[in-house]
Amino acid sequence: MTILIQNGAGAYPRPRKAAAHSAEVSLVELQKRIDDFSKARNWEHFHSPRNLLLALVGEVGELSEIFQWKGEVQRGLPGWDASEREHLGEELSDVLLYLVRLSDMCGVDLGRAALSKLEKNAIKYPVERNYSTTPPPPAAAAAAISNRERRRSTHNA
């Protein structure tokens, strides 16, 4: 099913899924909607790469504030209430929207750039190597730091 979304720049089709929260949106569609939104408000002259980058950094700051005093947060955000999750979604969306607009204004195909970066990272970090992020037990970590410091002092002597 397709529904039309109406804004100041006109109507355009949007695919509709069974649940609103499960809709899949492409970067191209976001780019088009942001462009239409900006044109309808005559904001294009404000959207220089520098201005968009500074706005993006500001939004990342707002996103960071949400996590600032929470300590380590578990995957899935257990214990977060609906308003906290909604606020998080809004700030994540602000970051995404500015990033998509910035890439558009810089002439960067963000989807292709991201896929290219993933390919480069696959070469840089091959599956065959162990990249475990599990921290060592505290005693082993202390010993490792101690050994490293001994090597440094021996090397610098």
Side-chain angles (χ1 to χ4, degrees), residues 31-87:
Q31 184 178 343
K32 169 85 169 100
R33 288 189 186 195
I34 296 165
D35 192 53
D36 289 348
F37 187 91
S38 299
K39 284 178 180 172
R41 289 155 182 81
N42 196 28
W43 287 354
E44 291 180 296
H45 61 284
F46 297 119
H47 290 184
S48 68
R50 176 191 170 276
N51 287 350
L52 291 166
L53 176 61
L54 293 175
L56 173 64
V57 168
E59 293 301 336
V60 169
E62 290 181 25
L63 177 60
S64 299
E65 287 176 350
I66 295 172
F67 291 93
Q68 186 171 10
W69 305 114
K70 290 196 178 284
E72 195 57 44
V73 176
Q74 298 291 319
R75 180 180 286 187
L77 311 176
W80 285 41
D81 64 32
S83 67
E84 289 175 307
R85 289 172 182 272
E86 181 179 3
H87 184 209

Side-chain angles (χ1 to χ4, degrees), residues 122-131:
I123 293 166
K124 186 175 180 180
Y125 305 105
V127 174
E128 298 77 30
R129 294 201 45 201
N130 181 3
Y131 295 102

Side-chain angles (χ1 to χ4, degrees), residues 14-34:
R14 182 180 93 183
R16 184 174 182 189
K17 302 278 185 181
H21 59 79
S22 67
E24 293 181 20
V25 179
S26 72
L27 291 175
V28 172
E29 183 177 353
L30 277 178
Q31 184 178 343
K32 169 85 169 100
R33 288 189 186 195
I34 296 165

Side-chain angles (χ1 to χ4, degrees), residues 57-126:
V57 168
E59 293 301 336
V60 169
E62 290 181 25
L63 177 60
S64 299
E65 287 176 350
I66 295 172
F67 291 93
Q68 186 171 10
W69 305 114
K70 290 196 178 284
E72 195 57 44
V73 176
Q74 298 291 319
R75 180 180 286 187
L77 311 176
W80 285 41
D81 64 32
S83 67
E84 289 175 307
R85 289 172 182 272
E86 181 179 3
H87 184 209
L88 176 61
E90 289 170 354
E91 297 306 333
L92 286 167
S93 297
D94 286 341
V95 169
L96 176 63
L97 293 172
Y98 275 116
L99 182 61
V100 169
R101 185 66 170 167
L102 176 61
S103 68
D104 185 24
M105 294 298 99
C106 291
V108 173
D109 182 330
L110 190 57
R112 287 181 195 251
L115 291 175
S116 174
K117 184 63 175 179
L118 282 172
E119 289 173 7
K120 289 176 183 176
N121 284 346
I123 293 166
K124 186 175 180 180
Y125 305 105

